[in-house]
């Protein structure tokens, strides 16, 4: 079915980097936020300033993860242990929540300034699914998922949205745990073995594998095809249009 096994009956899509061209915006926002923190830490401790790598650090520690988890993972990689804080912390406070809130403010500002562009190949693929009457869902760690879908003009293409707001309300662990994808499959009334996951993040393909999904499509936007396959992708494409053309590998 459209480049995937014939028994796939539901299609579950990550947002940033799969449907919309916002992964690079998130990477830039994380870099802006972490570099400000790391410069302040260097001044405070006298240690050298080592900037956040918007490719390597982003892919390894934050891409696809809930915001707080990404903050914790990156800080841990630098040997930094901060208090958790709370959602009431002002953005930029020296806590996990404070840094995460600063990142959220930055990415929202960038999205307002730059707008949101969907990937044409992804939109064409989802529209083909809709034309065939097949169910679709968005599964994103972002609490801003619905706003981004609306800004991109594609919210109406999806039957179910499981985002950071839903995950927090229902106490669902974030990617690489499979819980958010499993929740979307349940909402569509489809067993995981008959559903496909579409992900550009290593944490995301790992969640698809952990959930026992019938297909896990890795979308390679940054030249990490081998890593996507290693972590769980059963098919890797550079654009979803390849599935329409029968060019998936």
């Amino acid at each position: 079915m459209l480049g995937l096994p014939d028994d796939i009956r539901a299609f579950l899509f990550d947002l940033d980097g799969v449907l919309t061209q916002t992964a690079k915006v998130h990477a830039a926002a994380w870099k802006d936020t972490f570099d400000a923190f790391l410069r302040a830490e260097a001044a405070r401790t006298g240690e050298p300033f080592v900037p956040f790598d918007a490719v390597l650090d982003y892919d390894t520690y934050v891409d696809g993860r809930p915001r707080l988890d990404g903050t914790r993972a990156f800080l841990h990689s630098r040997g930094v242990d901060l208090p958790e804080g709370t959602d009431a912390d002002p953005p930029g406070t020296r806590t996990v929540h404070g840094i995460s809130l600063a990142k959220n403010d930055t990415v929202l500002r960038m999205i307002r300034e730059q707008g949101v562009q969907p990937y044409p190949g992804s939109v064409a693929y989802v529209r083909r699914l809709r034309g065939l009457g097949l169910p679709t869902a968005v599964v994103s760690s972002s609490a801003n998922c619905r706003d981004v879908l609306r800004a991109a003009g594609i919210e109406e293409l999806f039957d179910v949205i499981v985002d950071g707001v839903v995950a927090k309300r229902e106490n669902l662990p974030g990617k690489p745990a499979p819980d958010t994808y499993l929740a979307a499959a349940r909402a569509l009334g489809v067993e995981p073995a008959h559903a496909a996951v579409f992900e550009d993040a290593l944490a995301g393909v790992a969640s698809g594998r952990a959930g026992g999904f019938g297909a896990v499509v890795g979308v390679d936007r940054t030249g990490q095809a081998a890593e996507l396959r290693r972590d769980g992708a059963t098919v890797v494409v550079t654009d979803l249009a390849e599935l329409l053309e029968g060019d998936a590998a």
Side-chain angles (χ1 to χ4, degrees):
M1 176 61 69
L2 295 176
L4 299 177
D6 290 341
D7 61 351
I8 298 298
R9 299 196 294 271
F11 300 78
L12 317 178
F13 298 86
D14 177 48
L15 177 66
D16 302 307
V18 173
L19 296 172
T20 60
Q21 300 180 41
T22 40
K24 55 191 174 185
V25 181
H26 281 281
W30 279 115
K31 179 168 178 60
D32 183 272
T33 303
F34 278 132
D35 280 359
F37 170 78
L38 293 168
R39 284 193 186 94
E41 285 296 286
R44 188 178 69 85
T45 65
E47 296 294 323
F49 165 63
V50 180
F52 178 85
D53 188 310
V55 177
L56 182 60
D57 287 332
Y58 178 74
D59 288 347
T60 304
Y61 301 113
V62 300
D63 188 20
R65 298 175 186 267
R67 192 185 312 132
L68 291 169
D69 290 349
T71 301
R72 293 185 195 100
F74 175 71
L75 293 177
H76 180 75
S77 78
R78 295 297 182 91
V80 178
D81 184 19
L82 295 185
E84 279 292 303
T86 72
D87 283 339
D89 291 350
T93 303
R94 194 175 176 275
T95 64
V96 171
H97 278 77
I99 292 172
S100 300
L101 290 165
K103 184 268 176 180
N104 192 50
D105 283 357
T106 300
V107 79
L108 290 176
R109 172 179 56 79
M110 290 179 171
I111 287 172
R112 284 194 302 269
E113 293 172 354
Q114 301 172 22
V116 176
Q117 295 298 319
Y119 284 102
S122 297
V123 174
Y125 188 79
V126 176
R127 289 194 186 280
R128 180 73 65 84
L129 296 174
R130 302 300 290 179
L132 294 169
L134 293 165
T136 57
V138 177
V139 180
S140 172
S141 300
S142 174
N144 307 310
C145 178
R146 287 185 181 273
D147 291 335
V148 172
L149 289 169
R150 289 190 197 106
I154 58 174
E155 184 183 16
E156 78 285 354
L157 295 178
F158 302 96
D159 302 294
V160 167
I161 296 173
V162 178
D163 60 7
V165 175
V166 173
K168 183 176 182 180
R169 183 179 70 231
E170 299 185 7
N171 198 29
L172 301 173
K175 305 168 187 177
D179 300 62
T180 50
Y181 275 113
L182 293 172
R186 283 195 302 272
L188 292 175
V190 177
E191 291 296 321
H194 298 297
V197 165
F198 296 78
E199 269 284 356
D200 71 314
L202 301 181
V205 294
S207 70
R209 177 173 62 185
F213 286 88
V216 180
V217 179
V219 184
D220 179 22
R221 306 286 190 193
T222 60
Q224 56 176 2
E227 291 85 352
L228 288 166
R229 289 191 181 92
R230 178 199 67 201
D231 286 5
T234 57
V235 175
V236 175
V237 296
T238 57
D239 191 273
L240 296 192
E242 295 170 32
L243 295 172
L244 295 174
E245 299 161 1
D247 293 335

